[in-house]
Amino acid sequence: MQPTPPPSRPVAASAAQPVSRRERNRQDKIRRILGAATELFAERGYSAVATQEIADAADIGTGTLFRYAGSKAGLLMLVMNEQLRLGVERGITLSRNGTAPTEAILALVAPLVESGCHHPENTAAYQRETLFGSGPEREAAAAHVARIECAIEEILRRYVATRGMRPGRDLGMAAHVIYSTMYMDIVRVCMGRAPADSLTNRLRRSVDYLLDTLVRPPTDRGTPPG
Amino acid sequence: MQPTPPPSRPVAASAAQPVSRRERNRQDKIRRILGAATELFAERGYSAVATQEIADAADIGTGTLFRYAGSKAGLLMLVMNEQLRLGVERGITLSRNGTAPTEAILALVAPLVESGCHHPENTAAYQRETLFGSGPEREAAAAHVARIECAIEEILRRYVATRGMRPGRDLGMAAHVIYSTMYMDIVRVCMGRAPADSLTNRLRRSVDYLLDTLVRPPTDRGTPPG
DNA sequence: CTCAATTCCGGACTGGACTCCGTTTCGAGC
DNA sequence: GCTCGAAACGGAGTCCAGTCCGGAATTGAG
């Protein structure tokens, strides 16, 4: 995406003191871009916002905007990755606090659900880019997904253990199936093909169903996987 | 999508004789558009083809092109819906001919798989639009998906019956989960995030796994699906 | 401070999807 | 055939994402 070596640095947290003028300018621009994009996308929706407007609001040239963001879609992912990051962490923490497995899994996608109900268009575009996009911003989003799937797998493992089930099932695949199904449910709502107010119930139903089936130990018969 | 009442007609097959001059022109244009788009997309890939080129190849103006197709994405869906239609029918027929359930389900998505291996970019764009697009062409694609899911459900029902299992499971949901999982597998390959040559094996593994788990009758315990 | 080297910036520009509206073609009544 | 209203056409024009390159800012050396 980035045209040529962008002004990338080890994107580490603000720790080092010896910040050059350049670096300060850079950080400041990033902050302005993120702020402008966050506000405009939230206010008017992804497709109704022109990159020019974001550049104007951030008080930079369009060339500069694309130097930092790579593409309009990348900009959206930047914004939403940031917003979802905390939510995902919180969800993971919550999910470890002994809740019922279904609720624990729902907690993991709670930020996406909330975002999906509040800003359907932006969330749909985000999910679309997660699956079909490219570039570093998509990688970051994919990392979120991977974290969530891992957390689901962990929940499944505990679920199986507490019930004394045979743990041999491919819980990684189960987690993947569960996430995929929830992804579809969320997208359906964001695209307006299912009512938003029923999203959590629908997710709960899907997760219940899958928990109840995917995770039970295999009987002796049948086609053993793998 | 269509700007104003497009020249739509009951898109029925060529049956009626009393075709006016207008109607003949219309059919002819549609044929030229579809031909040009099919060839160009296949030859150079969705993103590398400009709508202007399609219009030129079909020997019509760009305005006319969009009168018939609504959007570039709609054009792709028109083309691929047409190509997949026969394949899906064949898959459904095959799947009824007593094959093993896994193979029957794979037969249903065989056209998508083939398309995905041969024209990854076009197939990815098609799948993307199936999920995130809008307009009549997407409806048609969604109808294909619904047919496939129904066929999967039918396969599951037979599978359950022949094994004397309790048929009370929500097989519709199972079919949906299976299709969603295969969708993800196909997209992953089309996006180059998994090797194309392993696609069928990967699908088989997913389907085997899901067949083996989703479809077994519930035990007495647990949360019975509503 | 001055100067050169390097990096960064930004707005004019490009390419492409899509639209608008004047022109053309068609069909029906006469 | 001729005329008129309606539908279809098409290409000039619009809008917008994304690029390019000339020039500005920053840094380091002397």
Side-chain angles (χ1 to χ4, degrees), chain B residues 89-112:
Chain B
E89 295 308 321
R90 192 155 46 86
I92 289 178
T93 305
L94 274 179
S95 77
R96 288 200 235 255
N97 287 353
T99 346
T102 302
E103 301 308 316
I105 290 174
L106 289 184
L108 291 174
V109 292
L112 263 176

Side-chain angles (χ1 to χ4, degrees), chain B residues 99-213:
Chain B
T99 346
T102 302
E103 301 308 316
I105 290 174
L106 289 184
L108 291 174
V109 292
L112 263 176
V113 170
E114 192 174 347
S115 167
C117 290
H118 207 55
H119 303 296
E121 191 206 341
N122 297 357
T123 307
Y126 178 76
Q127 295 284 62
R128 172 161 47 80
E129 294 302 316
T130 298
L131 204 49
F132 295 99
S134 63
E137 294 92 1
R138 194 209 80 91
E139 302 303 322
H144 278 168
V145 172
R147 286 176 66 80
I148 292 177
E149 287 196 4
C150 268
I152 294 177
E153 191 178 344
E154 191 187 318
I155 292 167
L156 295 183
R157 192 164 291 120
R158 260 182 289 130
Y159 179 63
V160 167
T162 61
R163 288 168 166 258
M165 290 169 174
R166 175 131 60 107
R169 298 308 269 167
D170 188 342
L171 295 181
M173 189 169 232
H176 183 63
V177 168
I178 290 173
Y179 185 80
S180 300
T181 304
M182 292 195 294
Y183 177 96
M184 292 288 180
D185 283 339
I186 292 171
V187 169
R188 213 181 342 269
V189 166
C190 289
M191 295 302 296
R193 299 202 260 271
D197 54 20
S198 70
L199 177 53
T200 300
N201 282 337
R202 182 177 287 269
L203 286 173
R204 187 174 284 118
R205 186 170 129 75
S206 295
V207 173
D208 271 342
Y209 171 73
L210 290 171
L211 266 186
D212 189 44
T213 53

Side-chain angles (χ1 to χ4, degrees), chain A residues 15-98:
Chain A
Q17 226 61 346
V19 278
S20 66
R21 179 78 164 268
R22 284 236 153 105
E23 182 61 14
R24 251 181 304 131
N25 279 347
R26 203 182 79 91
Q27 296 291 348
D28 196 49
K29 285 205 180 67
I30 290 178
R31 197 153 25 78
R32 262 149 46 210
I33 291 173
L34 241 67
T38 303
E39 178 152 359
L40 284 170
F41 283 150
E43 207 161 283
R44 315 225 313 268
Y46 180 69
S47 67
V49 176
T51 53
Q52 185 66 63
E53 297 178 287
I54 296 173
D56 290 348
D59 197 32
I60 57 174
T62 57
T64 310
L65 180 65
F66 284 100
R67 167 178 303 277
Y68 284 89
S71 69
K72 186 186 178 184
L75 203 46
L76 177 70
M77 304 204 84
L78 227 49
V79 167
M80 294 207 47
N81 280 337
E82 185 63 23
Q83 291 179 355
L84 291 180
R85 196 164 47 83
L86 290 179
V88 170
E89 295 307 321
R90 193 154 46 86
I92 290 178
T93 305
L94 275 180
S95 77
R96 288 201 236 256
N97 286 354

Side-chain angles (χ1 to χ4, degrees), chain A residues 81-158:
Chain A
N81 280 337
E82 185 63 23
Q83 291 179 355
L84 291 180
R85 196 164 47 83
L86 290 179
V88 170
E89 295 307 321
R90 193 154 46 86
I92 290 178
T93 305
L94 275 180
S95 77
R96 288 201 236 256
N97 286 354
T99 349
T102 301
E103 301 308 315
I105 290 174
L106 289 183
L108 291 174
V109 291
L112 263 176
V113 170
E114 192 172 348
S115 168
C117 291
H118 208 55
H119 302 296
E121 191 205 341
N122 297 356
T123 307
Y126 178 77
Q127 295 285 62
R128 170 161 49 80
E129 293 302 315
T130 299
L131 205 48
F132 294 98
S134 64
E137 294 92 0
R138 193 208 80 91
E139 303 303 322
H144 278 168
V145 173
R147 286 176 66 82
I148 293 178
E149 287 195 5
C150 269
I152 294 176
E153 190 179 344
E154 192 186 318
I155 293 167
L156 295 184
R157 189 164 293 121
R158 259 182 290 130

